[in-house]
Amino acid sequence: MGFNEIAAKAVRKIGKMSSKKLVKKGVKAEALPRPEPTVIKGESYICGYAMREVMPEDIKAKNYWIAGHGMGHVIESVHDPVTVSAMWIGADDNGGYIHISADIIGLTNFELNLVRDELKDLIEKSNCAGVFASCTHSHAGFDTVGYWGQLMKLQSGKDPEYMELLLKSLKEVAIEAYENRKPGKLYIGTVHVPEAQFCKREPNAMHDVLTRTRFVPDDGSTETWFLNYAAHPNTLGGDNRECGADYPYWLRKYINDEKTVNVLFGVGAIGAVDPGDFCEDKKERTRLEGLTLGKAALGIDNDKEMPVEITVLQQKYYSPVDNGLLALMATIKACSSQRYPCDKGDLGLALLTEMAYIKLGTQQILLLPGEPFPEVIYGGAAPAEESATGKGIEINPTPIIDIVGDKDLLVYCVTNDMTGYCVTPNDFILHETQAYIEQGKDVFDRRHYHETNSLGYLTNETIAENVADIMTRVK
């Protein structure tokens, strides 16, 4: 029996023990509230924007772990600063919500809730229906989750002082965005940008739409754009040791070289979807990705003005955890989590997480944790003869756009929590003896890496069930 097989058995056993300890402590997964949607109307949209750089002063004096490609890699230099931005989106002064964009790999729901606690006064006085954080998922920034430290030394990749600075900055931009609000009009437009995507795993079910939510102030001041596109900001590769935002930096730079505008960015369904395969030089490929998306954003010509009506529904839910390695990371407190006993799955564990539904005018939006594969959202999973398991799409949950009933659904992923990949069941393969430690291989001898960084087989089903439940309340 090899080391990986021993490790796989050990982490599975530790995960099951964690569940039993929670039961002994009297921890229960209580029934969660099913809130009704908040509907906000008015005569005009009221929006505000704020931005901060979030860089430690001692970055050259101490080790900071870089996130996204492998454990134990130290940031050696800075290409561009990590930034966080926020947008208040409201109707008159009748209420609204705050949507944050952060140049980080991810943020756990536990830590986002700490920020929300610090914003209680603002939430109350502003009739704020939700504070949401979409991470750009840069693979060239600081480890803000904890996965990329030194596991063999049981050392988290999170630096406590940097996390304190980050959470403080998230609070500050949220407050400032609200204070900077002004009336104007809100437009949403789209463009297809197929050349900015490359899929490294069958069935190549990519969604190539770049969406621009554009706020135009009545006083003619600077516009604010919130862009959304599905491509992993991992272009710089595993050898990179420069801190930065990857292609979102170049996206913002290109737009601002052409036009003064506030730009926020969030990723869509990025499971197995990389940036465009423009060239072999990774730095140049990163720049070209940003340039391509920037040109496309500037060229959108189908804007539709949104009627002034906002719907917000935030839903907490339990997601079963079968991944013993991720459960171990939580057990040793390398990452923050809210765990509960569960009667589903292999370990008897569940993570308390959340999703949210928003409707801006006529545009329906979902905010989802983790990194769903495009076929989870939009369909296009492989048929039985081409699938990894040899099983057909009938074992998969209904694609999310069909549950919502909207082919133009806008989805922000890696939002409000960091829960790993979400893979359709008929494409979900684990190593037979080293589950979640070593990559499995399917009947076509294709490696399945993404499952090793997923909560488990039930993730797709759990998301679909909760979206369906939300839709019974917003329709």
Side-chain angles (χ1 to χ4, degrees), residues 79-117:
H79 179 275
D80 56 276
V82 171
T83 65
V84 296
S85 309
M87 188 175 182
W88 166 267
I89 303 176
D92 294 340
D93 276 327
N94 299 328
Y97 68 96
I98 294 167
H99 199 165
I100 294 168
S101 169
D103 286 334
I104 56 176
I105 192 76
L107 186 72
T108 70
N109 190 245
F110 178 89
E111 279 143 340
L112 175 57
N113 285 333
L114 296 179
V115 177
R116 289 167 170 164
D117 288 343

Side-chain angles (χ1 to χ4, degrees), residues 58-78:
D58 60 354
I59 189 166
K60 294 183 179 179
K62 73 188 262 191
N63 288 343
Y64 287 94
W65 308 108
I66 197 166
H69 280 290
M71 294 180 176
H73 298 154
V74 176
I75 292 174
E76 296 175 357
S77 60
V78 176

Side-chain angles (χ1 to χ4, degrees), residues 30-330:
E30 303 287 354
L32 296 169
R34 298 176 63 250
E36 290 300 313
T38 298
V39 180
I40 307 160
K41 299 180 180 181
E43 296 298 319
S44 177
Y45 279 102
I46 306 287
C47 296
Y49 169 82
M51 187 271 284
R52 289 276 192 288
E53 289 188 6
V54 190
M55 296 298 292
E57 294 181 357
D58 60 354
I59 189 166
K60 294 183 179 179
K62 73 188 262 191
N63 288 343
Y64 287 94
W65 308 108
I66 197 166
H69 280 290
M71 294 180 176
H73 298 154
V74 176
I75 292 174
E76 296 175 357
S77 60
V78 176
H79 179 275
D80 56 276
V82 171
T83 65
V84 296
S85 309
M87 188 175 182
W88 166 267
I89 303 176
D92 294 340
D93 276 327
N94 299 328
Y97 68 96
I98 294 167
H99 199 165
I100 294 168
S101 169
D103 286 334
I104 56 176
I105 192 76
L107 186 72
T108 70
N109 190 245
F110 178 89
E111 279 143 340
L112 175 57
N113 285 333
L114 296 179
V115 177
R116 289 167 170 164
D117 288 343
E118 290 291 312
L119 291 169
K120 280 184 177 178
D121 290 344
L122 173 65
I123 291 169
E124 183 176 351
K125 80 173 185 179
S126 66
N127 293 319
C128 180
V131 177
F132 308 118
S134 291
C135 300
T136 64
H137 199 57
S138 170
H139 285 47
F142 299 92
D143 183 357
T144 52
V145 178
Y147 294 166
W148 292 277
Q150 293 182 305
L151 180 60
M152 299 306 292
K153 295 182 179 180
L154 302 183
Q155 180 180 355
S156 172
K158 290 190 297 184
D159 180 84
E161 292 178 357
Y162 183 75
M163 293 302 297
E164 183 178 348
L165 173 64
L166 173 65
L167 300 188
K168 178 175 179 288
S169 299
L170 296 177
K171 171 189 173 182
E172 289 174 349
V173 292
I175 293 171
E176 189 177 337
Y178 175 75
E179 292 174 345
N180 289 343
R181 69 197 187 283
K182 55 183 64 177
K185 294 179 171 59
L186 196 70
Y187 302 85
I188 295 180
T190 60
V191 63
H192 290 274
V193 198
E195 65 272 25
Q197 289 180 327
F198 171 76
C199 190
K200 55 188 176 186
R201 174 166 161 169
E202 300 291 342
N204 297 318
M206 295 179 289
H207 183 69
D208 65 11
V209 176
L210 171 68
T211 301
R212 182 183 70 186
T213 301
R214 181 169 72 104
F215 175 68
V216 182
D218 289 341
D219 63 7
S221 57
T222 305
E223 296 181 7
T224 297
W225 297 1
F226 208 137
L227 304 176
N228 174 280
Y229 189 73
H232 248 87
N234 62 355
T235 329
L236 292 169
D239 295 331
N240 173 63
R241 299 294 180 268
E242 280 190 309
C243 174
D246 204 270
Y247 75 78
Y249 163 78
W250 293 104
L251 166 62
R252 294 188 296 254
K253 184 179 186 306
Y254 181 82
I255 291 173
N256 281 298
D257 284 346
E258 300 293 321
K259 180 182 177 71
T260 300
V261 61
N262 304 318
V263 182
L264 304 91
F265 179 74
V267 293
I270 58 172
V273 182
D274 282 354
D277 192 15
F278 296 106
C279 61
E280 292 186 5
D281 184 285
K282 292 177 180 178
K283 288 190 175 182
E284 179 63 5
R285 184 182 176 195
T286 305
R287 188 187 72 83
L288 289 172
E289 179 75 8
L291 182 149
T292 301
L293 291 174
K295 280 185 177 180
L298 286 162
I300 290 174
D301 59 3
N302 60 358
D303 271 345
K304 293 181 181 178
E305 184 178 348
M306 292 294 108
V308 187
E309 182 170 326
I310 303 169
T311 301
V312 180
L313 194 158
Q314 181 179 345
Q315 181 63 60
K316 292 186 176 295
Y317 68 99
Y318 299 107
S319 190
V321 180
D322 284 346
N323 190 326
L325 185 57
L326 295 186
L328 174 64
M329 299 290 276

Side-chain angles (χ1 to χ4, degrees), residues 392-424:
I393 61 172
E394 65 277 0
I395 74 166
N396 295 339
T398 302
I400 299 302
I401 61 166
D402 293 330
I403 295 173
V404 176
D406 186 356
K407 66 179 179 59
D408 297 318
L409 177 70
L410 174 57
V411 180
Y412 287 89
C413 300
V414 198
T415 296
N416 301 332
D417 206 356
M418 177 67 171
T419 56
Y421 290 102
C422 176
V423 182
T424 54

Side-chain angles (χ1 to χ4, degrees), residues 407-458:
K407 66 179 179 59
D408 297 318
L409 177 70
L410 174 57
V411 180
Y412 287 89
C413 300
V414 198
T415 296
N416 301 332
D417 206 356
M418 177 67 171
T419 56
Y421 290 102
C422 176
V423 182
T424 54
N426 84 329
D427 199 44
F428 193 99
I429 293 287
L430 294 173
H431 194 285
E432 291 183 1
T433 61
Q434 302 168 32
Y436 300 106
I437 300 291
E438 181 56 69
Q439 302 173 40
K441 283 189 177 183
D442 63 23
V443 293
F444 301 102
D445 201 39
R446 299 176 300 205
R447 287 191 171 273
H448 283 244
Y449 152 75
H450 301 86
E451 289 85 339
T452 66
N453 280 309
S454 73
L455 293 182
Y457 180 83
L458 296 172

Side-chain angles (χ1 to χ4, degrees), residues 361-381:
T362 59
Q363 178 66 61
Q364 296 191 92
I365 304 168
L366 275 181
L367 309 181
L368 297 177
E371 306 160 70
F373 274 53
E375 51 268 35
V376 169
I377 308 297
Y378 304 102

